[in-house]
Amino acid sequence: MQSLLVVVALTLGGVPVEVKPLSGPSITGELQDVTAQAVVVQTAAGPQTLDMAGLWEITPAKAEKPARDAAAVWLELVDGSQLQAAQFTVT
C-alpha cells in the first residue's frame, strides 16, 4: 500500500525527488513527468530524461528538518507526543 501512495504522490509532478540510475551519479530535482518508458526530472541544469529501464529507484527528496526554535509554542499531549505551533489561541 505504501508503494502505491509513493507512486501516486510522484505522479502528481513538481515533487522534489532523488533518482538513482543503475550506473552513474544520482540526480536531484523536481519530478516533471513519468511514463512507462521514461522519467523527466527538472534539475538546475535543465530537464533530464532518464530511461525507465536504466533506473534503480526514485525516492522523494529528503526534506530539511524544521528548526525547533521556529516554534513559539510547544504542546505536550497526554501520550507524550509533542506538537509545535507558531501561535496558540484559546476561546
Side-chain angles (χ1 to χ4, degrees):
M1 183 65 169
Q2 285 182 335
S3 297
L4 177 61
L5 293 176
V6 170
V7 169
V8 170
L10 292 176
T11 58
L12 295 176
V15 175
V17 294
E18 180 180 5
V19 180
K20 294 181 182 176
L22 292 173
S23 63
S26 296
I27 297 171
T28 305
E30 283 192 4
L31 183 67
Q32 296 298 306
D33 192 22
V34 178
T35 66
Q37 293 79 28
V39 172
V40 179
V41 178
Q42 180 67 39
T43 67
Q48 299 224 357
T49 302
L50 302 158
D51 184 34
M52 193 65 85
L55 297 183
W56 177 254
E57 69 180 354
I58 303 171
T59 56
K62 298 194 178 6
E64 293 181 26
K65 290 186 176 182
R68 288 193 64 87
D69 296 344
V73 178
W74 291 269
L75 179 64
E76 187 168 341
L77 304 179
V78 175
D79 67 355
S81 60
Q82 295 181 348
L83 301 175
Q84 298 179 17
Q87 61 182 342
F88 180 75
T89 305
V90 178
T91 55

